[in-house]
Amino acid sequence: MGLTAYAVCKNYGETRALYDVDLAVDKGEFFTLLGPSGCGKTTLLRIIAGLEMADNGRIIINGKDYTKVPANKRPVNTVFQSYAMFPHLTVLENVCFGLISRKIRKSEAIDKARKTLDLVQLSDFEDRKPHQLSGGQRQRVALARALANEPEILLLDEPMSALDAKLRVQVQIELRQIQQRLEKTFIMVTHDQQEALTVSDRMAVMGVGQVAQFGSVREVYDNPRNRFVADFLQTQNFISVERIGPCVVSTPYGDWELKEQIPWEEGTVTVRPEKLRISSDLSECDFKAHVNTVIYRGCYQQFILSNGLLMETETVLPVKEGDELMVHVPKDAVIILHEETFQRMDVRTVR
Ligand code: ATP
């Protein structure tokens, strides 16, 4: 149960927005569609909502085929980027509006709206008008409005894009807590990888019209399969290597032993800057390099090394430009990119 999308395709004239996309979202999970601008995530969300029809493929919700069912008959509700509210109505009236227009009795609508406002911790604000609320509070009213309809699945299209950076982080945590309290299925679209990692159980990383990788946030972050996903999750230090043993590669920095068998003769591995370790023990040293630049980042520091690699450490370590470091590359720090690219074809143009 939950949501399954099978082989969804969508073209806009010559532009192929989605090509053969499969997706499986479990009931009660927070699932995120993450990807760069234009990759097709909003189109997929709109197809799930019924606001857009797929050219091919099927949308199954809780075991029932909704592919051809109009938006207002689907058990989903959407929170849009611009959560436009009626400025002359109070918070309570804004939340009631959709319920009353669905012919729910006024007293019942007020009851439901109050319960939902309580859930998003806005009970004390029900008499305020939208302009008397902060951005984060407005966002929670939008959420309450969508949740008041008791949808099986809540769809969120970049719901935090109107908030400033600090508020965003706070609202992300609130959103996650509300979802966990409700145990409802949330599907969110975002291009912000930090946001996806903060709120989601699982995610699909999308690149032009296709899903590039799909899994729990930890699986995908720790083991990006290809360069596109690794790049999008801000992995650094891409290194071209050759296999010289089942688990050993020759790199420009020496031979490294890896944690698993290497699936190709030549390919790319990557190691996150924070996984490289300064070593005081020569027997543990995988390479030596000078520190060309120290970048102070407040809660951590970065070093650009003379061999071009980037590393990160806590700021307490007294490292300065010009120092020579012995660097240890732990076996499990090296990520093997299984595929150079994920695309099955040039999907952008319909031919
Ligand atoms: P963003 O993060 O910028 O919102 P997105 O990943 O949500 O991007 P979509 O809005 O789904 O991407 O668009 C996918 C592709 O389809 C893009 O190339 C876009 O230009 C195109 N597209 C989307 N809607 C239409 C439309 N109504 N008519 C023509 N092309 C469209």
Side-chain angles (χ1 to χ4, degrees):
M1 290 297 182
L3 175 132
T4 318
Y6 289 114
V8 173
C9 294
K10 177 74 185 173
N11 301 329
Y12 293 107
E14 293 282 287
T15 306
R16 207 192 288 267
L18 294 174
Y19 177 73
D20 215 8
V21 171
D22 292 332
L23 204 66
V25 179
D26 291 336
K27 201 177 168 94
E29 77 173 332
F30 202 131
F31 191 92
T32 296
L33 300 169
L34 172 69
S37 179
C39 71
K41 47 198 192 302
T42 299
T43 301
L44 183 56
L45 199 80
R46 290 175 62 81
I47 288 173
I48 295 169
L51 299 168
E52 203 79 69
M53 286 295 151
D55 298 337
N56 269 309
R58 290 196 301 149
I59 300 294
I60 312 289
I61 301 172
N62 290 342
K64 191 173 161 208
D65 192 335
Y66 280 91
T67 314
K68 300 244 158 34
V69 177
N72 60 354
K73 299 261 165 33
R74 295 192 185 199
V76 303
N77 236 294
T78 311
V79 179
F80 294 100
Q81 266 175 30
S82 58
Y83 25 85
M85 273 176 267
F86 298 110
H88 57 289
L89 298 184
T90 65
V91 164
L92 183 68
E93 287 162 347
N94 263 288
V95 179
C96 281
F97 186 86
L99 295 169
I100 291 168
S101 62
R102 278 176 44 220
K103 309 252 181 319
I104 292 176
R105 266 189 300 122
K106 194 171 172 196
S107 60
E108 196 187 330
I110 291 175
D111 203 36
K112 270 184 198 282
R114 287 215 163 106
K115 280 202 182 113
T116 327
L117 284 171
D118 186 37
L119 189 76
V120 298
Q121 289 161 352
L122 278 182
S123 294
D124 294 342
F125 297 80
E126 64 171 57
D127 295 325
R128 294 225 190 153
K129 299 276 175 61
H131 73 271
Q132 296 168 315
L133 299 174
S134 71
Q137 288 162 342
R138 274 203 288 272
Q139 203 281 341
R140 277 188 274 155
V141 177
L143 196 60
R145 206 168 42 177
L147 288 171
N149 292 318
E150 296 172 352
E152 299 275 340
I153 300 178
L154 191 76
L155 305 175
L156 304 117
D157 188 2
E158 304 249 10
M160 287 164 265
S161 58
L163 308 178
D164 67 47
K166 195 166 167 228
L167 192 55
R168 245 180 124 118
V169 175
Q170 186 191 324
V171 174
Q172 284 163 6
I173 294 165
E174 283 173 7
L175 190 63
R176 176 61 169 157
Q177 288 170 338
I178 290 169
Q179 185 271 339
Q180 284 176 325
R181 236 180 292 145
L182 282 173
E183 297 177 355
K184 269 208 190 293
T185 315
F186 279 27
I187 304 178
M188 184 178 80
V189 157
T190 184
H191 61 266
D192 179 337
Q193 54 118 351
Q194 212 51 52
E195 186 163 293
L197 297 180
T198 306
V199 300
S200 328
D201 295 301
R202 293 193 306 148
M203 64 183 178
V205 181
M206 292 184 68
V208 281
Q210 294 181 347
V211 173
Q213 194 171 345
F214 175 90
S216 78
V217 287
R218 266 176 203 270
E219 272 160 31
V220 180
Y221 185 81
D222 289 344
N223 291 299
R225 282 191 64 79
N226 50 58
R227 190 161 181 138
F228 172 81
V229 175
D231 230 354
F232 198 72
L233 296 175
Q234 289 171 9
T235 310
Q236 314 231 14
N237 298 331
F238 290 95
I239 306 159
S240 298
V241 301
E242 256 179 64
R243 184 176 67 186
I244 54 170
C247 301
V248 186
V249 285
S250 156
T251 82
Y253 319 103
D255 297 343
W256 293 354
E257 201 185 330
L258 310 187
K259 64 184 171 185
E260 56 183 313
Q261 295 231 347
I262 303 144
W264 30 248
E265 293 292 324
E266 285 181 11
T268 305
V269 299
T270 163
V271 55
R272 288 208 160 86
E274 69 276 16
K275 297 279 176 118
L276 293 172
R277 297 267 167 267
I278 297 176
S279 174
S280 52
D281 180 353
L282 191 60
S283 67
E284 214 191 37
C285 170
D286 289 296
F287 64 84
K288 287 183 185 172
H290 284 95
V291 176
N292 278 359
T293 311
V294 175
I295 305 161
Y296 178 67
R297 299 275 192 193
C299 52
Y300 64 98
Q301 57 188 347
Q302 292 182 313
F303 314 134
I304 300 173
L305 302 178
S306 49
N307 60 14
L309 293 181
L310 183 73
M311 84 179 275
E312 261 172 49
T313 70
E314 293 173 355
T315 48
V316 288
L317 287 174
V319 174
K320 52 188 190 320
E321 287 164 8
D323 284 356
E324 189 183 46
L325 301 180
M326 291 200 289
V327 179
H328 172 50
V329 186
K331 252 193 216 176
D332 58 3
V334 182
I335 300 166
I336 301 169
L337 298 184
H338 284 244
E339 313 153 347
E340 200 51 40
T341 177
F342 71 92
Q343 256 146 32
R344 282 167 284 160
M345 57 180 284
D346 172 15
V347 290
R348 201 66 309 175
T349 314
V350 181
R351 276 192 264 264

